[in-house]
Amino acid sequence: MGNLRSVWQALAHVADGRQVLVSSDPAAVAAAERVVFPGQGAMPDCMHEIETRGLRSAVLEAARNKPFLGICIGQQMLFEHSDEGNVPGLGLIAGNVRRFPAEKMIDAMGSKLKVPHMGWNEVRHSREHALWKGIANDARFYFVHSYFVEPQDEDYVVGTTRYGIPFTSAVARDNIFAIQCHPEKSAIDGLAMLANFVAWKP
């Protein structure tokens, strides 16, 4: 679902000779050394594709046992439930996916903010993580989304962003790192994050 080619190109650029494969084959996911789980579009459509292609068990197994990077809806699908379409997610991380509240979409000057949140914005590190290596606190990344995650456990929050309200933009637990923005579209800092993922040994 979405911008698989740009994710592939960015990863291939930093993969240091490793094979980067785009696949919806559960066997390929199971065989991979590490897995990137991107997504764009609507949560119900993404969850439908996971089920239709028989990928649920392969994705769950990968998220339990190998370095795993969720991007955009690939982050949202890790959670228990989404307000978008009132659908269950994969339930790997306790919490929900919420829409930006229209009444709070006001900037510091009192102007109305548009939803979706689209463009460059700062990501503040909530705590240290291997994927932040070489990336300054408050570095800017590229976002396109109308929904954001609300983890039940604040200990999983590793990045926050403000757009009308402060929201969780990055989470991590054990071998999972997931981020709402698009590192593949975020220039040098995005490539640094992907390179950190390629080298990550959780």
Side-chain angles (χ1 to χ4, degrees):
M1 299 292 295
N3 59 325
L4 295 178
R5 180 166 175 77
S6 58
V7 174
W8 177 85
Q9 285 181 315
L11 280 165
H13 184 73
V14 300
D16 197 25
R18 295 173 177 86
Q19 181 187 22
V20 179
L21 177 67
V22 176
S23 181
S24 59
D25 179 1
V29 176
E33 173 193 293
R34 55 194 65 228
V35 170
V36 177
F37 187 49
Q40 243 182 319
M43 176 88 159
D45 295 338
C46 291
M47 288 303 302
H48 175 75
E49 289 297 317
I50 290 287
E51 301 293 350
T52 300
R53 296 171 186 269
L55 280 164
R56 174 183 277 268
S57 60
V59 170
L60 290 173
E61 189 68 14
R64 291 185 185 113
N65 295 301
K66 56 187 73 178
F68 188 96
L69 174 62
I71 297 174
C72 195
I73 290 184
Q75 179 199 54
Q76 295 178 13
M77 286 191 284
L78 301 179
F79 283 74
E80 294 173 304
H81 184 268
S82 177
D83 289 349
E84 185 178 20
N86 190 28
V87 294
L90 295 170
L92 284 158
I93 299 176
N96 296 293
V97 181
R98 305 291 188 202
R99 184 173 173 83
F100 281 114
E103 68 278 7
K104 295 184 178 179
M105 292 294 96
I106 306 294
D107 68 14
M109 305 299 292
S111 299
K112 188 170 178 59
L113 294 169
K114 293 180 180 179
V115 176
H117 171 211
M118 185 181 299
W120 294 83
N121 206 336
E122 296 171 349
V123 176
R124 176 167 289 275
H125 305 170
S126 303
R127 61 179 170 88
E128 290 185 8
H129 192 279
L131 267 68
W132 294 139
K133 180 182 176 184
I135 299 171
N137 199 9
D138 291 327
R140 294 171 69 80
F141 287 81
Y142 188 79
F143 289 83
V144 184
H145 66 121
S146 300
Y147 294 78
F148 60 92
V149 298
E150 281 188 344
Q152 198 173 96
D153 190 336
E154 288 292 319
D155 288 345
Y156 296 158
V157 178
V158 293
T160 60
T161 298
R162 174 171 283 278
Y163 187 70
I165 58 171
F167 68 92
T168 296
S169 52
V171 294
R173 189 194 72 200
D174 305 324
N175 59 303
I176 296 172
F177 187 97
I179 192 157
Q180 181 61 61
C181 64
H182 289 274
E184 77 282 3
K185 296 181 179 178
S186 298
I188 292 172
D189 287 320
L191 290 175
M193 176 177 287
L194 295 175
N196 289 340
F197 175 72
V198 169
W200 186 31
K201 296 178 180 177

